[in-house]
Amino acid sequence: MPTIERSDDLAMIGINGGAWAVDLGTATPTAPTGFTSLTSPWMPVGMISEDGLTYAIDEDSEEFKAWGQTSPFRKVVTGSVRTFQMTLWETQRPLVKSLMYRLPVADVTPDTDGLTSFAESATPAPDRRAWVWDVYDGESMLRMFAPEAEISERGDVVYKGDEVTGYEVTVSVYPDAAGNLLYHTSKIDPSALPGGGS
């Protein structure tokens, strides 16, 4: 039997995590050095449903075949899209209302009596913001930073007595000035690396 190297510390399960958003160009997150939340001006979206976070890569491609050949000699990626899907459960949080209805946070922040009033438009302007998603698993964590992204799809909102009302959203990521979509930073226990991190 061959010996197959395996390390369960290098496998990741999305045990917990969070998401934050901020106005476009306001802030860049620092690299994570531990399990600390982002601070102002970053604003948390709060509780996310137990379905967690889905990071999707959708790519289109074109194949080229020489005349008389059945196998392509080249394949070119013609489109590459990144999206994040999640259900936001804190629907009364001002940031969450702001994201759902594409309005400034100040416009959906309750007054001293707890009252919020706003108008919803069917033809809203684009609402790009910077986003961060963190995923935690024991001593491991992953941070994904999108300098430009916006909610591009919204699911049905259900109000009923036996489930939590949530905003099911898809966030589409756009290239920044450098042409990059996402910036990834991860942290693991160095002892989990082959050779013990040496």
Side-chain angles (χ1 to χ4, degrees):
M1 278 292 287
T3 300
I4 300 175
E5 183 176 324
R6 297 185 176 96
S7 175
D8 57 0
D9 290 331
L10 296 179
M12 192 161 193
I13 300 173
I15 299 295
N16 203 348
W20 294 260
V22 73
D23 289 342
L24 203 62
T26 303
T28 299
T30 57
T33 56
F35 300 93
T36 56
S37 298
L38 293 175
T39 56
S40 180
W42 289 96
M43 293 176 283
V45 302
M47 194 183 312
I48 295 172
S49 79
E50 62 187 346
D51 293 329
L53 177 69
T54 299
Y55 167 48
I57 301 174
D58 183 15
E59 292 190 329
D60 298 319
S61 61
E62 184 73 33
E63 291 184 342
F64 299 93
K65 300 175 186 174
W67 191 9
Q69 298 294 311
T70 57
S71 297
F73 67 89
R74 188 167 180 187
K75 190 172 185 176
V76 176
V77 175
T78 58
S80 187
V81 177
R82 306 292 189 277
T83 59
F84 290 86
Q85 296 170 319
M86 57 192 167
T87 299
L88 309 178
W89 268 355
E90 294 186 23
T91 56
Q92 297 287 43
R93 182 182 285 269
L95 173 64
V96 174
K97 281 187 182 294
S98 167
L99 294 166
M100 182 67 177
Y101 297 105
R102 297 188 179 104
L103 294 169
V105 174
D107 289 0
V108 291
T109 298
D111 62 19
T112 54
D113 294 324
L115 180 66
T116 304
S117 298
F118 62 92
E120 182 178 352
S121 171
T123 56
D127 185 31
R128 295 190 181 191
R129 309 189 197 198
W131 283 76
V132 164
W133 294 270
D134 279 358
V135 181
Y136 309 129
D137 178 14
E139 296 301 314
S140 300
M141 74 172 295
L142 169 66
R143 172 165 291 171
M144 293 168 282
F145 166 49
E148 293 194 31
E150 70 177 337
I151 292 178
S152 54
E153 295 181 32
R154 293 158 172 77
D156 296 341
V157 181
V158 179
Y159 300 96
K160 56 185 299 189
D162 60 352
E163 65 180 68
V164 176
T165 298
Y167 295 155
E168 183 181 348
V169 298
T170 299
V171 181
S172 292
V173 178
Y174 305 114
D176 64 7
N180 297 318
L181 294 170
L182 286 167
Y183 293 85
H184 297 256
T185 308
S186 60
K187 180 176 175 57
I188 65 170
D189 182 351
S191 65
L193 293 170
S198 57

